[in-house]
């Protein structure tokens, strides 16, 4: 991608709209991304959208956004799609990749779960697209593949005349986090030097069972676990928040995004979910980003960086918030946090095994074939079994094969 002055998102004044492909448009993040994009239709032109199985939602989104191309992974439902004139259906196993790498796309928003979009993310970066990702697997399993591409793109911009101070001269300009914690850290880091960073603080709400005993946790039902106290999200991430596995995945994500070593990444429980995360600097300063818990904010920041646009989300009312609490996480009651961090320290193979095992563990908890405390037990067993193998840095194909093997193991786990 070529870059021009004022093109960070690139929404510069007078700039033409940024052309967007949205993968996973029917999910929790996808629908909120559609809301942000539709509200800012002068700044963004949605060229392509894709979802998995929700034909009705895709049709509705196509009528709202008038994309040039759409994809639906469910082939039977795709055959019956009723699309507006001017919108074509792209089919086939590589539909996501072909949407993400279209020549008329500048920026790809990744809102799919699991590993399904990893190949497309790599292809998009390789083709010089900006990638804004909510998807954790992209970094947890594929950070060693993704970040070198983002660094290469940033280095290309930095080497151009006048490029060193351009927003795209940083890997974060190309691989943009949507996860609220990582967006917060990104926002705190703008204008700061890497050498000045001492510690990253990831905040965690603690989920619905923050004060439950280990015995209580054994009796947790899916219905109770799906009731998150502060955020409304997809089912998988809501269960991950309840076990704190999600925070462990976020530690790994942060390690890749910000190039900070694991011992310098801390987790702090903050039940109000107002402080989205913080950065501690060598002079003892702590910078935090605060906001109403609404994913449309980090989605929008990833789209408009380095600019900010008005949003429908009200700012936090500090006086109404009154009191903000912080405390250390309890890794004895929530061992998934410790297991995930240890997997991250072990390396990409263990992190990838963790991700695949967790998908199955959460699905099994939801279908009643695994209890709540069984989730961390399964994660531990999978990381133990698959995490120490070789190669230490698996290729995309090796990651896909590992995913199949780990899933098989996790499905058969007692
Ligand atoms: N939700 C949040 O607030 C939040 C916050 C931070 C990070 N994240 C991360 O963001 C990612 C998405 O989370 P979510 O909660 O939005 O999940 P979700 O509600 O389950 O949505 C995932 C979407 O991906 C779509 N999809 C699945 N396979 C596909 C395929 N082959 N091609 C195209 N689309 C496909 C699904 O389509 P159908 O529904 O049409 O089948 C679904 O709409 C996860 O990695 C999560 O950890 C989420």
């Amino acid at each position: 991608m070529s870059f021009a002055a004022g093109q960070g998102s690139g929404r510069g004044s007078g700039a033409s709209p940024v052309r967007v492909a949205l993968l996973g448009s029917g999910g929790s993040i996808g629908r909120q991304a559609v809301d942000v994009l539709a509200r800012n239709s002068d700044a963004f032109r949605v060229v392509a959208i894709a979802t998995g199985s929700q034909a009705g939602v895709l049709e509705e989104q196509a009528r709202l956004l008038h994309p040039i191309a759409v994809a639906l992974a469910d082939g039977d439902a795709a055959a019956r799609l009723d699309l507006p004139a001017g919108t074509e259906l792209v089919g086939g196993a590589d539909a996501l990749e072909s949407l993400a790498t279209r020549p008329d796309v500048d920026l790809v928003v990744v809102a799919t779960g699991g590993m399904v979009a990893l190949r497309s993310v790599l292809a998009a970066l390789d083709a010089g697209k900006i990638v804004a990702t909510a998807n954790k697997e992209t970094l947890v399993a594929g950070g060693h593949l993704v970040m070198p591409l983002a660094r290469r793109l940033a280095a290309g911009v930095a080497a151009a005349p006048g490029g060193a101070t351009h927003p795209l001269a940083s890997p974060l300009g190309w691989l943009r986090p949507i996860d609220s914690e990582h967006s917060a850290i990104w926002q705190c880091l703008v204008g700061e030097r890497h050498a000045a960073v001492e510690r990253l603080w990831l905040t965690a709400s603690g989920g619905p069972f923050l004060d439950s005993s280990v015995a209580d946790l054994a009796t947790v039902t899916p219905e109770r676990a799906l009731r998150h106290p502060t955020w409304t999200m997809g089912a998988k991430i809501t269960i991950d928040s309840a076990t704190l596995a999600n925070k462990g995945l976020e530690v790994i994500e942060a390690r890749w995004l910000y190039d900070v070593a694991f011992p310098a990444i801390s987790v702090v429980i903050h039940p109000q979910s107002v402080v989205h995360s913080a950065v501690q600097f060598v002079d003892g300063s702590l910078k935090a980003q605060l906001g109403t818990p609404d994913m449309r904010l980090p989605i929008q920041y990833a789209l408009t960086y380095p600019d900010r646009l008005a949003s429908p989300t009200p700012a936090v009312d500090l006086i109404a918030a009154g009191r903000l609490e912080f405390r250390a996480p309890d890794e004895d009651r929530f061992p998934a946090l410790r297991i995930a961090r240890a997997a991250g320290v072990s390396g990409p193979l263990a992190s990838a095994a963790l991700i695949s095992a967790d998908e199955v563990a959460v699905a099994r908890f939801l279908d009643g074939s695994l209890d709540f405390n069984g989730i961390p037990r399964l994660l531990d067993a999978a990381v133990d079994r698959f995490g120490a193998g070789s190669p230490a840095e698996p290729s995309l194909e090796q990651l896909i094969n590992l995913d199949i093997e780990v899933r098989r193991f996790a499905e058969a786990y007692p």
Side-chain angles (χ1 to χ4, degrees):
M1 177 188 202
S2 61
F3 73 98
Q7 184 204 17
S9 59
R11 159 119 178 120
S13 51
S16 41
V18 179
R19 298 164 304 173
V20 175
L22 169 58
L23 313 183
S25 63
S28 163
I29 292 289
R31 288 171 190 236
Q32 294 178 83
V34 166
D35 183 72
V36 172
L37 291 161
R39 282 174 193 276
N40 295 289
S41 56
D42 54 339
F44 302 101
R45 163 82 177 104
V46 180
V47 170
I49 52 178
T51 197
S53 57
Q54 299 182 75
V57 172
L58 187 66
E59 286 171 349
E60 201 181 298
Q61 292 174 338
R63 284 194 291 274
L64 176 72
L65 299 168
H66 297 286
I68 298 169
V70 299
L72 190 67
D74 178 338
D76 292 341
R80 295 190 299 274
L81 270 180
D82 177 17
L83 295 172
T87 298
E88 64 159 352
L89 175 70
V90 175
D94 60 354
L96 286 186
E97 194 176 336
S98 79
L99 296 188
T101 55
R102 287 174 64 97
D104 56 0
V105 163
D106 303 313
L107 188 153
V108 181
V109 178
V110 186
T112 44
M115 302 269 283
V116 71
L118 183 54
R119 185 185 297 281
S120 311
V121 168
L122 295 170
L125 287 168
D126 204 41
K129 315 294 185 191
I130 294 169
V131 172
T133 183
N135 175 274
K136 289 168 206 284
E137 291 77 358
T138 296
L139 285 153
V140 175
H144 61 293
L145 303 173
V146 169
M147 288 316 289
L149 293 173
R151 276 196 287 274
R152 191 182 76 197
L153 287 163
V157 174
T165 56
H166 193 281
L168 294 181
S170 152
L172 287 165
W174 292 96
L175 201 277
R176 301 179 181 183
I178 287 179
D179 228 348
S180 58
E181 294 78 0
H182 302 81
S183 176
I185 289 172
W186 182 25
Q187 294 178 54
C188 293
L189 288 174
V190 170
E192 302 286 354
R193 283 181 306 108
H194 187 266
V197 174
E198 192 163 78
R199 177 164 300 281
L200 306 180
W201 287 94
L202 289 167
T203 53
S205 70
F209 311 117
L210 182 55
D211 295 313
S212 304
S213 66
V214 176
D216 288 344
L217 290 175
T219 65
V220 162
T221 59
E223 196 201 2
R224 284 172 62 206
L226 285 169
R227 258 184 252 134
H228 195 278
T230 50
W231 291 96
T232 308
M233 308 181 284
K236 160 76 168 52
I237 187 172
T238 304
I239 303 302
D240 281 344
S241 298
T243 60
L244 289 199
N246 182 51
K247 211 47 55 179
L249 302 181
E250 289 179 5
V251 168
I252 305 173
E253 252 187 299
R255 175 259 176 273
W256 286 111
L257 282 166
Y258 309 111
D259 197 16
V260 168
F262 282 105
I265 305 174
S266 295
V267 171
V268 59
I269 300 292
H270 165 48
Q272 291 82 12
S273 299
V274 166
V275 175
H276 293 318
S277 277
V279 179
Q280 180 179 322
F281 295 93
V282 288
D283 62 358
S285 287
L286 201 62
K287 247 177 152 179
Q289 188 260 347
L290 282 67
T292 303
D294 182 340
M295 285 307 293
R296 290 177 301 177
L297 270 183
I299 292 169
Q300 181 167 304
Y301 187 73
L303 289 165
T304 63
Y305 165 82
D307 299 332
R308 290 183 189 269
L309 296 180
S311 93
T313 310
V316 172
D317 180 339
L318 288 176
I319 293 170
R323 200 185 158 112
L324 300 179
E325 298 158 87
F326 301 93
R327 58 171 121 151
D330 181 342
E331 294 188 1
D332 290 332
R333 280 183 303 129
F334 297 99
L337 174 57
R338 176 175 36 77
I339 294 162
R341 179 188 279 276
V345 171
S346 292
L349 201 62
S351 307
L354 174 83
I355 278 279
S356 305
D358 188 44
E359 281 223 12
V360 176
V362 170
R364 287 191 51 190
F365 169 66
L366 289 174
D367 76 17
S369 65
L370 192 68
D371 69 354
F372 190 74
N373 290 333
I375 297 176
R377 273 199 309 276
L378 197 166
L379 298 186
D380 206 19
V383 169
D384 202 39
R385 168 81 176 263
F386 297 96
S390 64
E393 300 217 329
S395 66
L396 176 62
E397 303 313 325
Q398 286 165 329
L399 282 177
I400 291 167
N401 290 336
L402 178 72
D403 183 49
I404 295 167
E405 254 189 278
V406 176
R407 279 168 184 279
R408 206 174 291 137
F409 170 82
E411 269 148 21
Y413 185 77

